Amino acid sequence: NAGVTQTPKFRILKIGQSMTLQCTQDMNHNYMYWYRQDPGMGLKLIYYSVGAGITDKGEVPNGYNVSRSTTEDFPLRLELAAPSQTSVYFCASSPRGTGNTIYFGEGSWLTVV
Amino acid sequence: QKEVEQNSGPLSVPEGAIASLNCTYSDRVSQSFFWYRQYSGKSPELIMSIYSNGDKEDGRFTAQLNKASQYVSLLIRDSQPSDSATYLCAVNYPNTGNQFYFGTGTSLTVIP
């Protein structure tokens, strides 16, 4: 059971570089999310999507972009990486319907130096 | 503003004791509430969900919801060292793209 798959698991970026975190889910979920988690902190929503072709900003969208061309894929783009973007990134998905839970990928550890 | 507040701890309990974790939320619109467990270096995993006022039990875990007071709690009975983790409270807002807001988590250590 693949569930939510994120790549890469670890990455070191230099300041100013760009990269894309890949996320795919095989559960046919409508909703997908990107969160970041800083040490000792909770999860902060970066972007979310309610379906293919529809994305919206969460709490902390600055410095990031997303796209949702298919139901399965929800990549997160980091433009001009900054040290403040050093964090653990979690992709997640949820099925349609009130009260359904959210399923997480294994996380991507990103360090910007 | 959608706030979810938790006592960050750390909370330490002896093995076999009851651990009590609390969470408050700011928006009365919330309908669905979740507790996740997160081990160090791992992703969050669902422990319990609760939607109605009162208690919901699942094995050693009991979730309690009081919508009037806007709090949700998690009790862990007969705590085990394997319960040592960070516990995240999450609140779902279905009218905002099904967003989930998380508290900062409570770190629990169960002492053998």
Side-chain angles (χ1 to χ4, degrees):
Chain A
N1 295 335
V4 180
T5 303
Q6 294 180 233
T7 57
K9 193 169 179 66
F10 300 98
R11 181 74 185 270
I12 298 175
L13 274 182
K14 293 184 178 179
I15 293 173
Q17 286 186 322
S18 299
M19 74 160 296
T20 299
L21 298 175
Q22 302 291 344
C23 175
T24 187
Q25 53 94 6
D26 62 359
M27 298 176 281
N28 200 33
H29 287 171
N30 293 93
Y31 301 107
M32 294 190 74
Y33 314 83
W34 275 106
Y35 288 89
R36 61 175 287 173
Q37 186 176 38
D38 298 325
M41 301 296 289
L43 295 153
K44 295 294 185 183
L45 183 63
I46 306 172
Y47 270 94
Y48 67 99
S49 169
V50 302
I54 306 170
T55 63
D56 209 344
K57 297 177 181 179
E59 300 170 273
V60 290
N62 292 342
Y64 307 94
N65 276 300
V66 294
S67 59
R68 184 98 183 268
S69 57
T70 67
T71 298
E72 294 78 19
D73 300 310
F74 191 42
L76 177 72
R77 178 82 175 164
L78 280 73
E79 306 281 1
L80 299 175
S84 61
Q85 292 179 303
T86 293
S87 190
V88 183
Y89 292 83
F90 289 101
C91 181
S93 70
S94 178
R96 184 187 297 276
T98 302
N100 283 312
T101 191
I102 187 171
Y103 298 85
F104 288 91
E106 293 188 339
S108 297
W109 275 252
L110 176 67
T111 301
V112 182
V113 297
Chain B
Q1 185 76 7
K2 294 175 176 56
E3 303 274 345
V4 180
E5 302 280 347
Q6 291 182 255
N7 187 336
S8 61
L11 175 65
S12 294
V13 300
E15 184 174 355
I18 296 175
S20 177
L21 306 165
N22 299 311
C23 172
T24 59
Y25 59 95
S26 62
D27 195 329
R28 290 185 178 273
V29 173
S30 310
Q31 295 295 319
S32 306
F33 308 87
F34 305 87
W35 283 99
Y36 287 82
R37 177 176 60 200
Q38 186 176 27
Y39 292 113
S40 181
K42 301 295 186 181
S43 58
E45 56 179 336
L46 179 70
I47 299 176
M48 296 277 293
S49 59
I50 187 166
Y51 313 112
S52 304
N53 280 327
D55 295 357
K56 179 181 177 181
E57 187 175 317
D58 184 0
R60 296 186 296 111
F61 299 95
T62 299
Q64 300 173 317
L65 175 61
N66 185 324
K67 290 187 178 181
S69 300
Q70 294 177 241
Y71 86 80
V72 56
S73 63
L74 180 70
L75 299 177
I76 307 174
R77 291 182 301 281
D78 188 23
S79 295
Q80 300 297 310
S82 59
D83 295 327
S84 298
T86 296
Y87 289 80
L88 299 169
C89 173
V91 177
N92 177 239
Y93 294 92
N95 296 331
T96 57
N98 205 45
Q99 292 183 48
F100 290 77
Y101 282 77
F102 288 81
T104 55
T106 299
S107 176
L108 172 66
T109 299
V110 180
I111 304 168

